[in-house]
Amino acid sequence: MTNLSVNLNKIALIRNSRGNDFPNVIEFAKKFIELGVNGITVHPRLDERHIKRRDVLDLAELLKDYPDVELNVEGYPSRDYIQLIQDIRPDQCTIVPDSINQLTSDHGWDIKKEKVFIKETIGLIKKAGCRASIFVDPDIKQIKLVPETGADRIELYTESFAALFGSSLSDKVFNKYKASAEAAQEMGIGVNAGHDLNLKNLPKFLEIDGILEVSIGHALTVECIEFGMKEVVKRYLGICSNKNR
């Protein structure tokens, strides 16, 4: 079974667009938890364009009442990010190589180039008692360097899989992700995945064995508008449990 972690960034973005506290991020987290999701993901950025530091602190407090639901905090490992991690000690930290001006995450780490920095960052994360994950492209050469960083998991950046899903190149790109996941697993590294996964393409992606967690936010939020939260979460949980594949 694959765990479903719902990314709340888009809920926060909608809230921020009106300058008040509606929709309330914490109340939506509760709704998703009550529908059975396994985790909550947030990706705070330095400009707080969606998730704010206060949201992360409040979610960490909320999830103390839900020990079976994990909190995954993504982000570029700035000094502020590391301090936040040390303050709240989430279940999982996923480090992402974002710049402050990036619209959204669009590439994985160059581990060969940034290995010293990544290794130091992973050390700080694990010292705080958190599971450490690295956001990566489906590049076996890069993935083979992950054990040297001390990371527990990788998160495969799935944009290219999603962009080419259903095209003539779909099988080729799927096999690239499959080989990348298998390479990580052979080295004892757990595999998560996320970015542009949705109800249509997730069943195919999860034909890859051993995906531990998928983090989904943008598509899931849009699908909830179209089909309703209860129905959408039910469908995702079915796919993740292999019932609807």
Side-chain angles (χ1 to χ4, degrees):
M1 176 175 173
T2 301
N3 285 338
L4 171 65
S5 186
V6 172
N7 188 314
L8 297 177
N9 282 18
K10 284 300 181 293
I11 302 298
L13 184 66
I14 295 170
R15 174 200 62 191
N16 294 353
S17 70
R18 296 301 293 267
N20 55 29
D21 194 28
F22 180 80
N24 181 276
V25 170
I26 305 305
E27 289 304 314
F28 265 82
K30 290 179 183 177
K31 292 177 188 292
F32 282 118
I33 291 168
E34 289 167 2
L35 289 172
V37 306
N38 312 106
I40 296 295
T41 290
V42 287
H43 186 149
R45 297 176 185 270
L46 289 175
D47 60 7
E48 295 196 326
R49 71 185 76 159
H50 35 61
I51 287 293
K52 299 179 180 294
R53 178 184 174 86
R54 181 74 257 167
D55 296 324
V56 186
L57 296 172
D58 289 345
L59 285 166
E61 189 65 27
L62 170 70
L63 292 182
K64 289 179 181 179
D65 294 330
Y66 300 94
D68 295 330
V69 179
E70 291 196 345
L71 177 60
N72 172 43
V73 181
E74 301 179 341
Y76 181 80
S78 64
R79 185 175 299 176
D80 288 343
Y81 175 88
I82 294 299
Q83 184 61 60
L84 181 61
I85 294 310
Q86 292 171 338
D87 289 344
I88 66 170
R89 301 176 184 268
D91 300 282
Q92 179 172 266
C93 301
T94 302
I95 60 169
V96 183
D98 285 345
S99 69
I100 191 169
N101 296 318
Q102 257 178 254
L103 179 63
T104 186
S105 304
D106 61 13
H107 64 284
W109 285 96
D110 184 339
I111 300 175
K112 183 177 181 180
K113 181 179 179 181
E114 303 284 353
K115 186 165 57 177
V116 172
F117 174 65
I118 293 171
K119 185 175 181 179
E120 290 175 352
T121 299
I122 296 299
L124 293 172
I125 289 170
K126 297 184 79 170
K127 187 176 180 180
C130 311
R131 185 168 66 238
S133 180
I134 304 175
F135 196 67
V136 297
D137 297 310
D139 181 337
I140 290 178
K141 289 183 180 179
Q142 293 284 346
I143 290 170
K144 285 185 176 180
L145 298 174
V146 171
E148 298 176 38
T149 70
D152 304 292
R153 294 188 186 183
I154 58 170
E155 179 178 331
L156 288 171
Y157 169 50
T158 50
E159 192 276 335
S160 60
F161 165 80
L164 295 171
F165 180 72
S167 74
S168 60
L169 296 175
S170 182
D171 287 344
K172 182 178 180 180
V173 73
F174 171 79
N175 288 332
K176 187 176 183 179
Y177 278 92
K178 185 173 186 290
S180 297
E182 290 173 347
Q185 291 161 351
E186 287 171 3
M187 296 184 294
I189 301 297
V191 181
N192 300 337
H195 204 90
D196 287 348
L197 295 173
N198 58 39
L199 287 172
K200 292 181 179 179
N201 61 37
L202 184 60
K204 176 63 179 179
F205 190 83
L206 291 186
E207 289 179 12
I208 300 172
D209 289 336
I211 302 297
L212 299 174
E213 175 187 288
V214 289
S215 176
I216 306 178
H218 180 82
L220 185 147
T221 304
V222 175
E223 290 160 342
C224 283
I225 294 171
E226 185 172 4
F227 304 115
M229 287 179 64
K230 185 176 181 180
E231 177 63 20
V232 167
V233 173
K234 178 182 177 182
R235 292 189 196 183
Y236 273 111
L237 291 176
I239 294 167
C240 289
S241 66
N242 203 29
K243 291 179 181 178
N244 295 349
R245 282 191 257 157

